C-alpha cells in the first residue's frame, strides 16, 4: 500500500521566504537597491502596512483617510476636484464614495450651481471618525516614523517627496 507524505514532509519543500534563497541567505539586490523608484515603492509598502494596522479599528484605507481629510478642509467641493487632487481614477473613486457613504461618513448632494455634478460633505459621524483617525495617525503611525527617522530627517523626507510629487 502506498504511503502518503505527511504535512510536515510537505512543508519542508515550501519555498524560501521572500528575499531569502533556499539556504536562508539574503538575495543580492544588485541595481534594484540603487533605483529610487524601487526603494520608494518598498518603503511605501511598509508605511501602508503600518497605516492599515493603525487604522484597523476604524477600517480606513490611506485613500479613504485622504478623502476625509480633504473634505474636512474643503467642504462642499465636487467629487471630480477631490478625485483629481488625490489622483484617484473616477471609477475607483465612485466605488470608494459609495462605501464611505454607506458607512454614513460622507454625503453626496447635487451641486446647486451644476446639477450634473455632486458636492461632498462630511457627516457628523464622518467628522468624529476623522478626529479618531487623525489621533491614531499622529500618536501611532507618524510617531513611529518620526521615532525611526528623527524629526529632522522626517521633515527632510517629507520635503523631498513633495518635491518629486510636485516637480518631477
Amino acid at each position: 500500500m502506498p504511503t502518503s507524505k505527511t504535512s510536515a514532509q510537505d512543508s519542508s519543500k515550501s519555498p524560501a521566504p521572500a528575499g531569502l534563497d533556499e539556504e536562508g541567505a539574503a538575495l543580492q539586490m544588485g541595481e534594484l537597491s540603487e533605483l529610487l523608484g524601487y526603494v520608494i515603492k518598498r518603503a511605501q509598502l511598509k508605511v501602508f502596512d503600518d497605516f492599515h494596522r493603525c487604522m484597523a479599528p476604524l477600517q480606513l484605507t490611506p485613500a479613504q483617510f485622504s478623502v476625509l481629510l480633504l473634505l474636512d478642509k474643503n467642504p462642499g467641493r465636487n467629487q471630480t476636484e477631490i478625485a483629481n487632487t488625490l489622483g484617484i481614477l473616477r471609477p475607483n473613486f465612485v466605488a470608494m464614495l459609495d462605501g464611505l457613504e454607506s458607512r454614513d461618513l460622507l454625503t453626496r448632494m447635487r451641486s446647486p450651481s451644476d446639477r450634473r455634478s455632486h458636492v461632498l460633505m462630511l457627516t457628523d459621524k464622518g467628522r468624529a471618525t476623522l478626529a479618531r483617525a487623525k489621533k491614531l495617525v499622529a500618536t501611532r503611525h507618524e510617531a513611529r516614523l518620526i521615532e525611526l527617522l528623527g524629526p529632522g530627517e522626517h521633515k527632510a523626507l517629507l520635503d523631498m517627496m513633495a518635491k518629486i510629487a510636485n516637480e518631477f
Side-chain angles (χ1 to χ4, degrees), residues 125-144:
K125 183 179 177 183
R127 279 187 288 283
T129 299
L130 178 60
R132 289 178 56 206
K134 287 167 67 172
K135 185 173 183 176
L136 285 172
V137 167
T139 61
R140 295 185 186 173
H141 179 66
E142 284 294 317
R144 279 195 280 271

Side-chain angles (χ1 to χ4, degrees), residues 107-126:
T107 185
R108 285 183 273 205
M109 299 175 284
R110 289 270 182 213
S111 170
S113 60
D114 180 359
R115 303 288 294 159
R116 295 169 298 167
S117 70
H118 289 89
V119 295
L120 304 171
M121 301 287 289
L122 289 179
T123 61
D124 289 341
K125 183 179 177 183

Side-chain angles (χ1 to χ4, degrees), residues 12 46 76 85 87 91 104 109 152:
S12 68
K46 294 281 188 173
T85 299
D104 192 31
M109 299 175 284

Side-chain angles (χ1 to χ4, degrees), residues 36-53:
L36 187 57
Y38 176 78
V39 175
I40 289 172
K41 180 63 176 180
R42 296 294 300 176
Q44 178 201 19
L45 291 171
K46 294 281 188 173
V47 170
F48 275 26
D49 282 347
D50 184 73
F51 185 93
H52 285 288
R53 280 192 301 278

